[in-house]
Amino acid sequence: MQNLTNQSNIWSIHESIDNLIPHFASDAYKKLLPYVTVFLCSAHPYRENHTPMCPFVPQALKNHKIYFTYFNGEQISDSIAFIKECIDFYLNSKKYARSFGAVIILFPENYDIETLLKIQDANKVQCVDNALMLGALYNSSNAPSLHNTEYYPLRTPTPILVLRDMVINDLMFLDQDRHQMQKKIKFLTSFIKTFRNNTHNVERRQVQSAKYLRKKYLLKIYMSHISYVFIFSIIVIYLYYKIM
C-alpha cells in the first residue's frame, strides 16, 4: 500500500488490503468490486458495437491502473486537500505510462448523497484544471446512459467518487446549467487546452464546440457589464438633473 496521508491510504485492485483499512471502506470495497471488474467490462446493451460498458476499464485493470482509497473526513472542507493528494498521486502514476486509469474514492454505504454531491462540486475546478474529471456514483443516481435515457449504468451499491482522465465526450459535463458562467469558461478553457492538438475529426469538432461555448459565455459576461455601466450612467444623469 502507498500512503497518501497519515489518515488515508491508496491501493491498486491487485493488492491485498485485509485488516489495513477501516471496516466501512473494506465493506464498500468488497461490494463495489463486481461493479468494476464485471459490470464495467461487460458489453453495453444499447451501444451498437457492444463495446464494454466503459471502454477504458478492461485495459486499465490489466495495467493495474485502477486505484482505491477512502474518505473519512467530517467536513466538506476536509475533502479539498484530500482530493488534491489523490490528483497528485494519480498524475504521478502516469509519469512513465500515460494510459487511462482512475482513483475510486469509497464512502460509507449510508453516506449522505447531498454531501457527496457537494464534495464533488467543491473539488471539480481543481480536477478539471488538471484535465481530470470527478464523477459521483451512488445507488439512486438518475444519470442516464448516453445511448438510452432509461438506462442508468452509474448506479453503484455504495457511494463513490471517481477521479479519472478527461475524455472528449466530457464536454457535456462541463457545460451544465448548475455551473456559473465563470466556472464554465474555466472548464471549457481546460478542455480546449487538453484536446486542441488532436487531429481526429470528432475531437476537432468538440474543441470547436467548446470554443464557441466559451466565446458565447464571455460575450454574455461582457454585455452584462456594459448593461450595468449603462444603467448606472442613466441613474447618475437622472440624479444630476433632479438635483440641479
Side-chain angles (χ1 to χ4, degrees):
M1 297 181 69
Q2 294 174 275
N3 288 325
L4 281 175
T5 68
N6 291 329
Q7 291 78 35
S8 58
N9 300 284
I10 191 164
W11 65 94
S12 82
I13 200 170
H14 300 281
E15 293 179 90
S16 174
I17 47 87
D18 292 340
N19 303 318
L20 296 175
I21 59 176
H23 176 73
F24 85 84
S26 177
D27 184 57
Y29 179 61
K30 291 173 183 176
K31 290 180 178 179
L32 191 68
L33 276 179
Y35 177 86
V36 176
T37 61
V38 179
F39 178 76
L40 292 180
C41 296
S42 63
H44 196 300
Y46 298 104
R47 196 180 287 140
E48 290 184 3
N49 54 7
H50 298 292
T51 52
M53 195 70 60
C54 179
F56 305 101
V57 169
Q59 191 63 39
L61 287 170
K62 184 178 179 180
N63 293 337
H64 299 191
K65 290 297 182 181
I66 301 291
Y67 302 98
F68 291 83
T69 186
Y70 56 88
F71 180 71
N72 57 0
E74 296 182 358
Q75 304 294 330
I76 294 173
S77 58
D78 297 334
S79 71
I80 306 299
F82 175 80
I83 296 296
K84 176 64 166 61
E85 290 174 345
C86 290
I87 291 171
D88 291 343
F89 170 86
Y90 184 64
L91 294 179
N92 187 61
S93 76
K94 292 169 64 69
K95 279 185 177 179
Y96 305 106
R98 299 185 62 81
S99 56
F100 182 90
V103 176
I104 299 175
I105 304 167
L106 305 167
F107 291 78
E109 187 172 1
N110 62 349
Y111 197 80
D112 180 62
I113 300 304
E114 183 177 346
T115 303
L116 180 80
L117 296 175
K118 287 181 179 178
I119 290 175
Q120 178 198 25
D121 190 60
N123 288 281
K124 187 165 183 176
V125 170
Q126 67 167 327
C127 291
V128 175
D129 280 350
N130 287 281
L132 301 172
M133 299 294 289
L134 187 68
L137 286 68
Y138 47 95
N139 62 7
S140 59
S141 172
N142 287 324
S145 166
L146 297 177
H147 306 279
N148 188 316
T149 56
E150 296 183 357
Y151 185 58
Y152 306 99
L154 302 185
R155 290 178 174 175
T156 53
T158 187
I160 60 173
L161 289 177
V162 179
L163 180 74
R164 62 166 177 80
D165 298 274
M166 184 187 294
V167 296
I168 199 69
N169 291 330
D170 285 327
L171 178 58
M172 63 170 53
F173 304 120
L174 304 177
D175 186 38
Q176 294 176 321
D177 292 338
R178 64 191 180 92
H179 297 309
Q180 295 178 340
M181 276 193 287
Q182 288 85 350
K183 268 192 176 182
K184 289 183 180 182
I185 292 168
K186 195 173 182 66
F187 294 160
L188 292 167
T189 299
S190 181
F191 181 88
I192 294 165
K193 181 180 177 181
T194 301
F195 297 107
R196 64 187 174 189
N197 293 326
N198 291 24
T199 58
H200 296 294
N201 288 336
V202 172
E203 293 169 343
R204 290 173 63 185
R205 285 197 296 269
Q206 288 289 77
V207 169
Q208 288 302 315
S209 295
K211 288 180 177 179
Y212 168 79
L213 290 169
R214 183 177 63 174
K215 183 177 180 180
K216 181 178 72 172
Y217 296 135
L218 286 170
L219 182 61
K220 280 186 177 181
I221 291 174
Y222 173 76
M223 293 305 295
S224 67
H225 289 167
I226 293 296
S227 297
Y228 290 140
V229 172
F230 177 75
I231 293 171
F232 179 75
S233 300
I234 294 297
I235 293 172
V236 170
I237 293 171
Y238 170 77
L239 292 175
Y240 173 80
Y241 282 104
K242 188 173 183 179
I243 294 171
M244 294 298 290

